[in-house]
Amino acid sequence: MQVITTKQELTRQVEACIRQQKTIGFVPTMGALHQGHASLVQRAVAENDVAIVSVFVNPTQFNNPEDLQKYPRTLNQDVELLTQLGAHFVFAPTAEEMYSSEELNTSFSFDFNGLDQVMEGKMRPGHFNGVVQVVSRLFDLVKPTRAYFGEKDFQQLAIIRHMVTTSSLAQQYTNLQIIGCPIVREDSGLALSSRNQRLSETEKQTAVAISQTLFTSLKWAETDTVANVQQRVIDTINAIKGLEVEYYEIVDRTTLQPTDTFQNAIGCITVYCGPVRLIDNIQY
Ligand code: PAF
């Protein structure tokens, strides 16, 4: 496996793949890889001739400087794991390689058709602009046949799908398939996340209540209303010492707008466990 740090070398390798009519599977990541990422890379390796993984902590999608600074960076371990998984190339650029200084200091703006007005978009202004900025740039460089994203970041996945299908950028991506992959969980039910590395053992045990409550809410949904289930999830988690719900919203899976029926619904949650912000979701 080759580690690439420049756009020029990446472009050279991608052009060689395209000349040889090889399909390219792409997994964009911010590193600190775990088994959730591994499941995406395994699919990219299995379903394509060449698998490219990017490892880049994208500064333009962080609206909180402390979060950016504390984001775990473990490139050597990541490279080891990706080698074992059979990835062909890792693209690990610096911020200066990815962006001009002007781009780093001005904000990119994109029309999300309302998908960014709720949940993460409401809580983290500018976050999805940064995500679309980096993902579109990576797509332009990697020219993937298929790109793999985890369903844990469900809103991100919906926005990327919108970007490649209906947005003003869509015509650049007519041959690109976006593939959503299921959440990978610890045996306890805790959704795997790079941010879990920042949890103490006690916090990790406490955080298990998030997924447990979401799973229990499937039962509540059999007999109760959407509004009541939403509130019961919030109240149950907030009653646990060390957890604080930022939002829990049950929305339509396609539009991400609030819904009053469980048909095609997903519940998306963000919870602070101590200082660490964790997200999860459940499909009803
Ligand atoms: O999901 C992530 O890790 C990031 O948002 C992504 C898609 C790699 C863009 O930086």
Side-chain angles (χ1 to χ4, degrees):
M1 189 186 68
Q2 185 184 340
V3 180
I4 297 174
T5 54
T6 64
K7 288 185 286 193
Q8 197 185 17
E9 173 61 8
L10 179 63
T11 301
R12 204 175 69 79
Q13 295 293 351
V14 165
E15 281 173 358
C17 292
I18 290 172
R19 265 198 310 277
Q20 295 163 48
Q21 300 194 331
K22 290 185 171 163
T23 55
I24 300 175
F26 177 47
V27 183
T29 81
M30 297 207 297
L33 302 180
H34 49 68
Q35 286 308 310
H37 296 110
S39 72
L40 308 183
V41 176
Q42 275 158 347
R43 276 197 70 175
V45 169
E47 296 173 3
N48 302 277
D49 299 321
V50 172
I52 303 181
V53 180
S54 62
V55 173
F56 177 58
V57 182
N58 173 35
T60 69
Q61 71 186 73
F62 285 81
N63 56 334
N64 175 345
E66 194 187 332
D67 196 21
L68 172 60
Q69 190 218 328
K70 295 213 165 136
Y71 201 87
R73 288 159 173 89
T74 57
L75 185 60
N76 291 343
Q77 275 163 254
D78 295 345
V79 167
E80 222 170 274
L81 176 66
L82 293 170
T83 306
Q84 283 165 22
L85 292 170
H88 300 83
F89 298 103
V90 177
F91 178 50
T94 59
E96 290 69 30
E97 178 67 17
M98 281 299 276
Y99 299 117
S100 66
S101 55
E102 198 190 326
E103 284 170 329
L104 279 171
N105 293 310
T106 52
S107 52
F108 175 91
S109 126
F110 175 76
D111 177 8
F112 296 95
N113 200 22
L115 292 172
D116 65 325
Q117 300 301 307
V118 291
M119 303 188 292
E120 287 299 284
K122 201 156 75 182
M123 295 302 163
R124 303 177 70 187
H127 167 66
F128 287 120
N129 276 310
V131 170
V132 168
Q133 179 181 30
V134 75
V135 171
S136 58
R137 176 141 316 169
L138 289 166
F139 284 175
D140 295 344
L141 290 165
V142 175
K143 303 193 188 332
T145 318
R146 299 180 187 86
Y148 299 81
F149 291 85
E151 286 177 351
K152 184 165 75 67
D153 295 286
F154 191 84
Q155 191 172 6
Q156 169 172 278
L157 177 57
I159 284 173
I160 301 294
R161 284 195 200 285
H162 166 69
M163 173 181 125
V164 305
T165 54
T166 39
S167 81
S168 56
L169 303 178
Q171 64 208 34
Q172 299 170 44
Y173 305 116
T174 44
N175 294 320
L176 167 58
Q177 230 180 301
I178 300 295
I179 298 178
C181 302
I183 297 177
V184 179
R185 297 181 181 279
E186 291 194 353
D187 291 344
S188 66
L190 179 66
L192 295 189
S193 163
S194 304
R195 288 189 162 87
N196 292 357
Q197 293 188 13
R198 292 179 53 205
L199 297 172
S200 67
E201 263 321 302
T202 316
E203 284 170 338
K204 231 173 162 188
Q205 280 162 24
T206 309
V208 169
I210 303 167
S211 56
Q212 272 173 357
T213 308
L214 293 183
F215 288 126
T216 306
S217 78
L218 292 175
K219 273 253 146 259
W220 298 338
E222 289 171 11
T223 52
D224 213 341
T225 63
V226 168
N228 285 348
V229 169
Q230 198 164 289
Q231 198 55 48
R232 281 172 85 175
V233 167
I234 295 171
D235 293 345
T236 306
I237 295 178
N238 278 342
I240 296 162
K241 196 165 163 273
L243 296 183
E244 195 184 336
V245 176
E246 185 176 61
Y247 66 80
Y248 181 57
E249 294 202 25
I250 298 176
V251 297
D252 179 88
R253 265 183 252 169
T254 316
T255 63
L256 301 188
Q257 296 308 305
T259 175
D260 54 12
T261 146
F262 285 109
Q263 217 177 340
N264 198 42
I266 184 163
C268 297
I269 196 159
T270 293
V271 180
Y272 277 94
C273 180
V276 185
R277 192 174 183 275
L278 300 174
I279 67 173
D280 201 346
N281 63 61
I282 189 99
Q283 309 222 5
Y284 288 99

